[in-house]
Amino acid sequence: MPQIKRFGVSLEKELSEKFEALMVRKGYKNRSEAIRDLIRGDLVKKEWARGREVAGVVTLVYDHHKRELVSHLTDIQHEFHHLIISTQHIHLDHDNCLEVIITKGKPDKVQALAERLRSTKGVKYGLLNMATTGKGLG
Ligand code: NI
């Protein structure tokens, strides 16, 4: 069991109300868990900024009928194969595909992969979810 350290937090009324609203919106049951997640979120941002190994998920939506788009996306993924742990492709409907690419590596490389994929002509939607390997979060 990790050691628990307790501390009091003083907030201005307005900030406190915003925090309570955030808790409700995000479904937190108690303040401690909400504060823990805010701290972890900040630590993950720092992992990305400091160049430590990170995990990331690239989500793409595209029309597979677009000429050469699929082979272009595949070429890019082969180029960055050392970063890619797993991919999943879902046929959303007759035209649209959703692809999820799970990555692990240095932040600049993961971001470069995500940018290359996202900026490929014909990609309707692309998002990089900046996650973490979890190692630096205790
Ligand atoms: Ni498909």
Side-chain angles (χ1 to χ4, degrees), residues 21-104:
L22 176 148
M23 282 180 54
V24 170
R25 200 171 60 241
K26 298 198 170 183
Y28 287 108
K29 297 279 184 280
N30 63 66
R31 293 187 183 95
S32 293
E33 196 49 41
I35 289 172
R36 273 182 219 121
D37 270 3
L38 287 171
I39 294 169
R40 288 186 195 117
D42 190 68
L43 291 172
V44 171
K45 270 190 206 157
K46 284 199 173 69
E47 283 179 9
W48 281 80
R50 286 179 181 164
R52 301 216 174 113
E53 186 180 61
V54 293
V57 183
V58 184
T59 306
L60 301 172
V61 174
Y62 57 87
D63 181 344
H64 71 101
H65 291 121
K66 295 274 180 201
R67 225 172 133 244
E68 293 176 7
L69 172 60
V70 176
S71 79
H72 201 153
L73 293 175
T74 305
D75 286 347
I76 295 167
Q77 291 188 48
H78 277 272
E79 200 181 312
F80 288 85
H81 68 91
H82 49 283
L83 295 178
I84 297 173
I85 299 166
S86 176
T87 64
Q88 184 155 23
H89 181 112
I90 294 120
H91 312 302
L92 290 173
D93 56 32
H94 185 266
D95 303 315
N96 294 296
C97 303
L98 181 143
E99 203 160 303
V100 181
I101 301 144
I102 301 171
T103 66
K104 191 169 90 171

